[in-house]
Amino acid sequence: MHPLLTEVIDAHGGLQRWHAHTAVQADITTGGGFWAMKGLVQDARTRQMQVALHRQAASVRPFGNPDWRTNYTPQRVAIETTDGRTVQERLAPRAAFDGHGMRTPWDPLHRAYFNGYALWTYLTTPFLLALPGVEVTDIAPWHEGGETWRALHARFPASIASHGAEQTFYFGPDGLLRRHDYRVEVAGGFPAAQYVHDIVEVDGLRFPSRRRAYFRGTDLQPVRDLLLVSIDLGGFRLEPAGAR
C-alpha cells in the first residue's frame, strides 16, 4: 500500500477496526445553495443515513414521505416504504444525468442517487482509497490555515460510483482528512472543494462530523461566497461484523 495512504488509514482507526464492522449509521442534517439550483426544496430536518462499509450501498430516511426511504446501489436506485415496497426505481441511474449542467433540475431519484454515492464516498474515506483498482499518487503539498497538508490524487475504476474518476484528498500533519476536491460529473462537472471539521471517534474509527463544500476556482481556492452543500453528522453507530 502507498506509504501516505497507510499512514492516513492508521490515523483514521486502521484496517483491522474497519474490517470489524459492516455499516455505519448517522443522523444527518443537510443545507446549502446547491439544492435550490437543482429545483429541490431542502429543509433542516434531521434524517438517518446508513452506508455499507465494504460494498456500495446506502439508504436515508425519511425521504419525501415519513414512511419512505432510499435504497441506493450503483446499478439501481429506489424509493421504498420502510417495509420494503418499491415506490419508484431507476435502473442504470447514472445514465439519467447525461447532458446535465449545474442548474439542470433533478427529480427525487436523481437526488436519491446523488445522496447515496456521495455519502458512501464521504463515510468510507480514506478506507475506500485502499479498494482494488483505486490508484493513488502523491501530489504537491498544499498550504492552508497555517498548516501544510499532504495530498493524494486518486483515480477510481469505473466500478466505483462517485463524484468523478479523479479526486484529491488532503491530510493534515496528524494524518486526518482536511479537504476533499472533486468535479461533480452528474451536474456538469463543476469543481468543488469540501472542507471537513470536528472529527469524532467511534469504536476507534474517526469520522468528520461537519462538512462544507464550495465551488472551487481555477486557483484551487474555494469561492466562500457560495456555500454549495453543508452536512452535519452526529450519533454515529457502527454495526459489528456478524451482528445480523
Side-chain angles (χ1 to χ4, degrees):
M1 192 187 298
H2 188 285
L4 178 54
L5 180 56
T6 298
E7 181 181 337
V8 301
I9 282 178
D10 288 344
H12 287 82
L15 284 176
Q16 184 174 353
R17 286 192 183 95
W18 185 251
H19 288 298
H21 300 88
T22 58
V24 61
Q25 302 174 19
D27 303 325
I28 180 171
T29 306
T30 305
F34 179 65
W35 312 110
M37 293 181 185
K38 309 308 287 182
L40 300 169
V41 175
Q42 176 61 48
D43 60 42
R45 182 174 182 178
T46 297
R47 294 169 168 82
Q48 288 73 53
M49 187 80 208
Q50 176 168 314
V51 305
L53 301 184
H54 309 298
R55 61 187 181 92
Q56 280 201 271
S59 178
V60 65
R61 63 179 176 89
F63 188 85
N65 285 8
D67 63 343
W68 289 358
R69 68 187 180 197
T70 65
N71 185 342
Y72 157 82
T73 68
Q75 298 78 29
R76 173 183 179 269
V77 65
I79 300 168
E80 303 175 339
T81 63
T82 50
D83 60 4
R85 291 180 291 113
T86 299
V87 177
Q88 299 179 55
E89 70 173 352
R90 180 172 288 153
L91 304 180
R94 191 80 172 203
F97 297 90
D98 289 352
H100 278 215
M102 191 173 186
R103 295 183 179 273
T104 305
W106 280 356
D107 64 27
L109 287 172
H110 287 122
R111 182 174 191 163
Y113 176 85
F114 176 81
N115 173 270
Y117 86 68
L119 269 295
W120 181 84
T121 298
Y122 304 156
L123 289 170
T124 61
T125 297
F127 300 94
L128 84 166
L129 301 178
L131 289 174
V134 180
E135 301 174 8
V136 294
T137 56
D138 293 300
I139 62 172
W142 179 257
H143 304 283
E144 189 168 343
E147 292 186 331
T148 298
W149 299 344
R150 292 169 295 170
L152 286 174
H153 180 81
R155 181 184 293 273
F156 292 100
S159 58
I160 294 179
S162 190
H163 287 303
E166 298 191 34
Q167 303 179 36
T168 303
F169 300 81
Y170 298 90
F171 303 94
D174 55 6
L176 297 177
L177 184 66
R178 295 289 196 275
R179 173 175 160 171
H180 175 198
D181 284 15
Y182 46 85
R183 288 184 175 271
V184 184
E185 290 182 354
V186 297
F190 71 86
Q194 182 179 130
Y195 290 82
V196 306
H197 312 275
D198 300 341
I199 290 177
V200 299
E201 184 172 321
V202 186
D203 295 345
L205 294 171
R206 295 178 178 88
F207 300 91
S209 64
R210 193 160 60 95
R211 293 174 171 271
R212 299 292 185 267
Y214 302 89
F215 187 86
R216 190 183 76 230
T218 55
D219 58 357
L220 301 185
Q221 296 290 343
V223 180
R224 299 280 186 177
D225 292 341
L226 175 59
L227 174 63
L228 291 174
V229 176
S230 66
I231 304 172
D232 292 332
L233 297 153
F236 289 91
R237 304 169 295 281
L238 284 164
E239 184 173 301
R244 295 184 181 181

